Amino acid sequence: YKAATLSAYALARLRLDEALADPRWTAAPEEQQGDYAALPPAIIMDLDETVLNNAGFQASQLRSGLAYDQRLWDNWEEKHSAHLGLVPGAKRFILEATKMGVKVIYVSNRNQKFIDHTKEALVRFELPIVEDGLLLNTGSNDKTPRFEQVKKKYDVLLMIGDNLRDFEEQFKCPDLGQKTPEQLEAAIQTRKDRVDQAEGSFGERWIILP
């Protein structure tokens, strides 16, 4: 797992270097024309299992023989930010990107009502939080409106996450309750097909972690 996350962040750094080598970032201000470099560069990152490691929460569920429960997760978010860890490679990448002048925007489905606890964790790990750079869940797991909000202000060079929906909502798995085996297989195949259609984005502008 650690080797996989370190590899993903090494690739992310390589892609970031490539993106910043574009003339819109390297040209002197007097050489830039029109809106060529009107928007500052940014990266969109998920938080849980992308930056923040919640192994403690998962371990407590396993020890207690519990399935996922939103109430347990809410309790973890509110009361256990001190038990969070970091995903290997994340901090170094974030600090390097920031040093290069790239804004890091966190788009997460952590609950907005626990935003202070999330901020506490990021501050504890000495990770930068830019103004309006922490966009949490205010009622919908669909990140699309928040992605669009970021793209109005920034030129997004990379997106980094551990779930397909950290990139586009088209990957959302349909409701699989009370489905026939044929319907289940069709739903699975649809998601596989969508990944195939987006193949050119993975490892390029989308970096996915395990």
Side-chain angles (χ1 to χ4, degrees):
Y1 169 77
K2 183 176 183 180
T5 62
L6 291 174
S7 297
Y9 276 113
L11 176 59
R13 173 59 195 268
L14 176 64
R15 294 293 180 248
L16 183 59
D17 287 343
E18 292 173 347
L20 292 175
D22 188 287
R24 65 182 139 171
W25 310 118
T26 58
E30 62 272 13
E31 297 174 349
Q32 298 174 358
Q33 299 179 0
D35 294 330
Y36 192 48
L39 297 177
I43 297 165
I44 292 177
M45 299 185 71
D46 175 52
L47 280 178
D48 295 306
E49 277 47 78
T50 299
V51 176
L52 302 175
N53 187 323
N54 294 277
F57 173 73
Q58 295 159 358
S60 68
Q61 287 185 290
L62 287 170
R63 284 196 301 268
S64 303
L66 297 172
Y68 179 84
D69 186 306
Q70 186 62 44
R71 294 168 296 181
L72 295 176
W73 176 256
D74 288 347
N75 178 270
W76 172 260
E77 274 199 55
E78 181 180 12
K79 299 180 180 178
H80 297 278
S81 63
H83 296 142
L84 289 167
L86 277 175
V87 171
K91 180 175 180 177
R92 178 177 177 179
F93 173 79
I94 291 169
L95 295 181
E96 288 177 345
T98 300
K99 188 176 181 180
M100 296 161 73
V102 179
K103 303 294 184 184
V104 176
I105 310 297
Y106 307 109
V107 180
S108 166
N109 277 331
R110 285 181 154 256
N111 198 311
Q112 175 68 24
K113 68 182 179 181
F114 301 131
I115 189 171
D116 288 342
H117 302 285
T118 298
K119 284 182 177 179
E120 286 173 8
L122 295 173
V123 169
R124 176 165 63 88
F125 290 124
E126 299 180 325
L127 293 174
I129 309 172
V130 303
E131 184 178 358
D132 299 326
L134 183 56
L135 305 179
L136 305 184
N137 189 329
T138 58
S140 171
N141 287 333
D142 183 354
K143 294 183 174 181
T144 305
R146 285 171 279 165
F147 290 158
E148 293 305 317
Q149 180 180 335
V150 176
K151 291 174 182 178
K152 288 179 181 178
K153 296 176 60 178
Y154 298 99
D155 186 345
V156 177
L157 306 182
L158 287 176
M159 300 177 76
I160 305 176
D162 70 297
N163 187 299
L164 292 173
R165 291 174 71 191
D166 292 331
F167 308 107
E168 284 188 358
E169 189 64 9
Q170 66 155 327
F171 295 115
K172 180 181 179 181
C173 190
D175 178 11
L176 299 182
Q178 303 300 314
K179 301 291 186 182
T180 66
E182 292 76 17
Q183 290 172 320
L184 288 173
E185 182 58 35
I188 293 168
Q189 189 59 48
T190 295
R191 206 170 192 225
K192 288 181 177 179
D193 290 344
R194 288 175 179 169
V195 170
D196 288 341
Q197 291 161 9
E199 180 180 356
S201 295
F202 293 107
E204 294 292 336
R205 59 191 183 95
W206 295 347
I207 306 295
I208 192 161
L209 290 96

